[in-house]
């Protein structure tokens, strides 16, 4: 089960609204959606969670590039919402790397010249390091995107997908507001 909410800071505090992401295809689309909810270029947080698997937070302020944190990149890749957040830049990949690999898929489903996956399902290069383009298990992104709201990197990294959005809302002082749209 997924839950997505926009938390927009206003002069009266934080306002929350649940949001449909069906029309959102890219991080840029998501940032535009957040900017529409913004009041005077105040921060807007887009919070997404897949119960028991992962959560993500996108912070948008004015026309600045969105700042993104995803709690478990490998889990998020199995989600259409997660794929919106997991940009090439966030994963440290070259922009066209995935498209290039897609063109190289053989009939057996493996890429030409790519190593076969090992028992943990991850492909390793010849030197034993994870293959280029592999999505890391665990957190990725900007661990400081909520630091000025009282959720520092250590606190953010310690959150679980079951309690993350509630803990973030507590730090922002808008728990009741978020729970009202849940």
């Amino acid at each position: 089960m997924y839950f997505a909410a926009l938390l927009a800071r206003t002069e009266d505090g934080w306002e929350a609204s649940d949001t449909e992401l069906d029309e959102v295809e890219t991080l840029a689309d998501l940032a535009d959606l957040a900017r529409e909810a913004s009041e005077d270029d105040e921060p807007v947080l887009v919070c997404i969670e897949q119960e028991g698997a992962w959560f993500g937070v996108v912070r948008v302020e004015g026309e600045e590039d969105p700042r993104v944190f995803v709690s478990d990149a490998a889990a998020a890749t199995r989600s259409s919402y997660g794929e919106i957040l997991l940009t090439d830049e966030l994963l440290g990949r070259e922009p066209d790397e995935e498209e290039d690999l897609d063109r190289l898929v053989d009939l057996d489903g493996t890429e030409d010249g790519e190593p076969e996956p090992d028992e943990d399902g991850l492909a390793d290069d010849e030197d034993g390091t994870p293959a280029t383009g592999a999505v890391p298990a665990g957190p990725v992104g900007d661990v400081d995107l909520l630091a000025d709201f009282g959720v520092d990197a250590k606190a953010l990294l310690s959150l679980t997908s079951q309690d993350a959005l509630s803990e973030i809302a507590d730090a922002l002082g808008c728990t009741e507001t978020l729970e009202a749209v849940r």
Side-chain angles (χ1 to χ4, degrees):
M1 171 169 254
Y2 291 97
F3 174 71
L6 286 173
L7 295 172
R9 190 163 69 180
T10 68
E11 62 185 44
D12 297 327
W14 290 91
E15 291 183 4
S17 60
D18 63 342
T19 187
E20 279 296 320
L21 299 179
D22 294 339
E23 302 297 319
V24 175
E25 295 181 8
T26 65
L27 183 58
D29 293 342
L30 188 60
D32 289 343
L33 181 69
R35 285 183 186 104
E36 289 173 12
S38 175
E39 188 175 287
D40 298 324
D41 292 334
E42 287 289 330
V44 176
L45 303 176
V46 181
C47 302
I48 302 171
E49 71 179 8
Q50 180 182 3
E51 191 174 315
W54 66 276
F55 71 93
V57 180
V58 178
R59 180 176 178 160
V60 177
E61 289 185 71
E63 292 302 316
E64 293 180 28
D65 288 340
R67 297 168 62 189
V68 179
F69 173 80
V70 175
S71 67
D72 187 334
T77 61
R78 296 184 290 273
S79 159
S80 58
Y81 296 147
E83 289 180 354
I84 293 169
L85 305 181
L86 296 173
T87 62
D88 290 330
E89 180 181 348
L90 188 69
L91 296 173
R93 295 190 296 212
E94 294 298 319
D96 295 326
E97 185 174 322
E98 190 171 311
E99 291 176 19
D100 291 342
L101 290 177
D102 287 344
R103 284 187 245 134
L104 297 174
V105 173
D106 281 337
L107 294 176
D108 68 356
T110 61
E111 289 84 15
D112 280 340
E114 289 294 313
E116 293 293 320
D118 57 17
E119 58 275 351
D120 65 2
L122 299 174
D124 291 338
D125 286 335
E126 290 175 13
D127 64 359
T129 60
T132 304
V135 176
V140 296
D142 184 348
V143 296
D144 292 319
L145 83 161
L146 299 174
D148 57 330
F149 298 130
V151 182
D152 63 12
K154 184 178 179 182
L156 186 62
L157 291 169
S158 71
L159 296 176
T160 65
S161 60
Q162 287 84 8
D163 65 1
L165 299 189
S166 296
E167 293 291 326
I168 291 168
D170 283 348
L172 299 174
C174 63
T175 304
E176 290 178 15
T177 304
L178 178 65
E179 290 304 317
V181 298
R182 233 182 230 272

